Amino acid sequence: MNAELQLIDAQTAVQVRGLNVVYETTQGDIPAVQNVNLDIRKGQITGIIGESGSGKSTLVMAMMNAVAKPGRVASGSIEVSGVGDMMKLSTEQQRRARSTELGLVFQAAQNSLNPLRRIGHQVLDLGRSHGVKDLRALLRKAKDLLERLGLDADRVLTAYQHELSGGMRQRVGIMFALVLDAKVVILDEATTALDMLSQASVLQIVRELHEERGLTTILITHDMGVVGDLADRVVVMYAGCIVEEGVTQEVLTSPKHPYTRGLIRAIPRISGDIDKAVPLSGSPPDMNTYKQPGCLFADRCPLAAPECQQSRPPLLEVETGRHVACFRVNDHA
Amino acid sequence: MILVVASFTFFLVRMMPGNPIEAKYEQLIMSGYTPDQAMSAVRVMYGFIPKQPLFQQFVTYLWQILHLNLGQSISYEGTPVMKIILGAAPWTIILVLTGTLASFVVGVLAGVIAAIRRNKVSGNLITVSGSLLHGIPQFVMGLFLAYVFTTIWAVFPYGAPYDASLTPGFNWPYIGSLAWHAILPVATYALSSYGGWLLTMKSSVISVLGDDFILAAEVRGIKPSIRMRYIAQNAMLPLFTILALSIGFMFGGSIFIEDIFDYPGLGNMLTNAISYKDYPLMSGAFLLITVAIIAANIATDFLYSIVDPRIRR
Ligand SMILES: Nc1ncnc2c1ncn2[C@@H]1O[C@H](COP(=O)(O)OP(=O)(O)OP(=O)(O)O)[C@@H](O)[C@H]1O
Ligand SMILES: [Mg+2]
């Protein structure tokens, strides 16, 4: 597909096309994201799920064109509504889009602050970086957000990172992603350091803010319950590929990719009964998995047929708004 | 610590071969002093009375030190040690501080550049410059500079801290002459410590560059100038610890460097004291150097607690 000729449609906030990200390591290149095509719809909450190492974080970092070394975007385009192709913008234009258009709470949000500077000063640094005129108003906004997230804002703003708990830091990270009114907000396991109750309340607030501000939210989590409760749509990743994508309810109740099915069956909370929880058989993908020409899931797949070993199944629209990458999508019982 | 050094120098002087104190005492008796006169002369000179029991001598000695009385010099007949040391100290302190400061600033900046351009030729050249200079001992560097710039190519003056024809005081020709004469020794200090700063700063910056909060700053679109400040601030922390060590090391180096450039500082004074067996002066100088190093350490701790909120109370 040709990115220049494509006009991003009005429903789409971020359009990812032909995205490939590799990490160059001494053992060889790890294709952490492979051939990803994805439309993130405006105003919706999109959940991304998948095993550890399936490339979720890498995908969202690539959306901001901020993949850290030794990773690099090998090819692809990231059209962001109202901004342009992140891959083609100048460094300065990309920088200006961050925080103002795209806000990211990244996985290591607990260490996302300069240890030598008070939080309030770092909010001001953010404001200065993006040409905010009224810095007082910015601080007030930061304060309101922190208070909504259940923190003692005055204390937090005058504190240093080491004076805050892990959960407090994550909430400060969420504040940073929202304080400049980004329209697309990405939360990469942003609530992992919180206890169940705080997690529920923080996610509740995220949902409220999402609705109030008409945000587009991307939520990476390992918690299927969270996906079920919050996400409008869900994206399932396996070994750097999207294997299934669709409306949350449909995907969770009638998964079409054998991996999604296995994933859901592995979680008692969704299937209902702990005795029925079945762990996925086989081992997670490794370097050798990536090298083979066939479906990356074939080795663990109960439905694997000879054709699955020969070529990769493309992500196809099997119903309206429902994409699955499987040759045997219609063959299961 | 100061007490330990004070005690150490006391016993060192006591155990010197030939016992300088007794020798002096005997020498005074022979030159016509009465035992009483000789004893009080020696007492003034060393700060304690030789004929008393060792312990009592020790106490007297410490008592005198507490009153900043370091006794009197032997080689500069009768001049109080304190006065000689205070006369020599400023020269050394100015040289060492200027040299340290210059190399710190240049080395740290070069270290940042070397870290950021570490995959480029320019960055590698900077790193190599640091490694090379770091490998050269201070006195070799001093001899080399002295040879090149005063002998082969006589651009800089040699010996004496200022032009003898000028009147010391607060006037431009005099200050200019001071600076001109100080360039080579300062350059020796600076060049010999530049590499250390550069290499330490480089590795420190590289490790900070891998920290999550720097990636976070990038993802938040923090301006490059502010991001650079974040990196530099955090990378500088380990350097403050070394600063104290380095200043102590530089004071040690003054023995060679002031000898090479014939500069009237503490190093030169100590060399002279050793060659004239001027024990009061020696122990005074040891004490002072210890005090200076301890002071540098305390200052560093203080500095550290200012820059790093994590160790603030
Ligand atoms: N800095 C790196 N160097 C080398 N390989 C990396 C690096 N970061 C990630 N990878 C590899 O890229 C792949 C995808 O990693 P990524 O962090 O995107 O996974 P994830 O889905 O976010 O996992 P998790 O759920 O554990 O956060 C993994 O195979 C990982 O080993
Ligand atoms: Mg991740």
Side-chain angles (χ1 to χ4, degrees), chain A residues 95 99 112 114 125 129-130, chain B residues 212 218 220-221 223 230 234:
Chain A
R95 183 181 78 70
S99 285
S112 74
N114 182 348
D125 287 344
S129 296
H130 291 283
Chain B
D212 287 331
E218 204 173 324
R220 289 184 188 133
K223 262 195 227 169
Y230 282 16
N234 280 276

Side-chain angles (χ1 to χ4, degrees), chain A residues 51-58 60 106-108 188-189 220 222:
Chain A
E51 279 171 306
S52 197
S54 55
K56 306 180 295 292
S57 300
T58 307
V60 295
F106 76 124
Q107 197 164 356
D188 188 352
E189 298 182 35
I220 297 181
H222 287 282

